[in-house]
Amino acid sequence: MDGRNRSLALFAVLLVAVIPACLGAGAAPEDDVTDSPPVETRSTCSGDETTPEVGSAGALPAGAGGFELTANRSAVERGEPIGFESTNVADDRQTTGTRNRYALQRRIDGNWRTVTLFRSGRAGFNATALPHAPGDGFEWSFRASRAGCSTGKFVVCEVLPAGEYRFVYDGPPALAVRFELVGAGDGPRPSSEHVR
């Protein structure tokens, strides 16, 4: 093999080794929400977390501004998966902000309190405007536990007791869909029906 062919062969080997490594490192952005493991593990909380300004402590609709927010279960056992979907139900293109403008809230004494907090050193959302054609939108999937909801920019610093919860997406407009978190043996098996 002459020097030129040897150089080409070495270059080809380097490409085969380097390109997949580079592509693998950047394939999943940090802020993408993914399905988390079902185990309840201790969240990394420093005490410097902040509450995102998403939704409100009062009533929120499941549909408004051309969008509808749904859950794939009305009740879920701790550690089980649950999914949410925001869909453009209008006849024309609609715009939202980033997919990260969401929060998990728990009903306490008739009010809603946000339990998904910004990790230490994070604050606010960017000013992204994303268009959605009719029928398009966002999907989120979590495990119904402290560890399962600690994803991307967010962390949950408390154990999630059984009770009434809602997922809020502040598109705008702010939309919410409720679900029940039950412990093993403390309520009905989750259904696969959409909740509105």
Side-chain angles (χ1 to χ4, degrees):
M1 188 180 283
D2 66 16
R4 183 171 184 252
N5 286 339
R6 195 172 322 162
S7 294
L8 286 174
L10 179 60
F11 182 69
V13 168
L14 285 174
L15 282 177
V16 169
V18 172
I19 289 176
C22 290
L23 292 176
E30 170 191 337
D31 294 338
D32 276 0
V33 179
T34 59
D35 197 21
S36 302
V39 293
E40 180 85 24
T41 58
R42 184 178 180 92
S43 298
T44 307
C45 294
S46 65
D48 294 328
E49 292 75 23
T50 57
T51 303
E53 293 181 23
V54 173
S56 72
L60 291 172
F67 285 90
E68 184 174 56
L69 185 64
T70 57
N72 66 352
R73 297 174 179 228
S74 60
V76 62
E77 289 191 15
R78 191 174 288 104
E80 292 290 318
I82 186 167
F84 305 96
E85 187 172 348
S86 172
T87 306
N88 175 1
V89 294
D91 293 331
D92 55 349
R93 186 177 298 269
Q94 300 292 319
T95 303
T96 67
T98 174
R99 68 177 285 119
N100 296 312
R101 293 183 66 91
Y102 69 83
L104 178 66
Q105 296 182 336
R106 181 163 63 104
R107 192 169 179 89
I108 301 172
D109 296 329
N111 291 314
W112 294 98
R113 185 174 61 80
T114 299
V115 297
T116 44
L117 306 176
F118 279 133
R119 296 178 187 274
S120 180
R122 295 252 189 196
F125 298 101
N126 62 28
T128 303
L130 300 171
H132 303 277
D136 288 345
F138 292 127
E139 294 181 7
W140 300 266
S141 179
F142 305 97
R143 297 271 175 188
S145 67
R146 177 173 54 188
C149 294
S150 295
T151 63
K153 297 174 183 275
F154 301 105
V155 65
V156 176
C157 296
E158 60 187 87
V159 174
L160 300 178
E164 189 176 1
Y165 289 79
R166 71 180 182 179
F167 179 82
V168 177
Y169 176 60
D170 196 358
L175 305 174
V177 62
R178 297 180 185 195
F179 66 97
E180 194 77 19
L181 178 62
V182 297
D186 339 300
R189 290 290 304 165
S191 72
S192 60
E193 297 175 25
H194 274 31
V195 178
R196 301 206 190 269

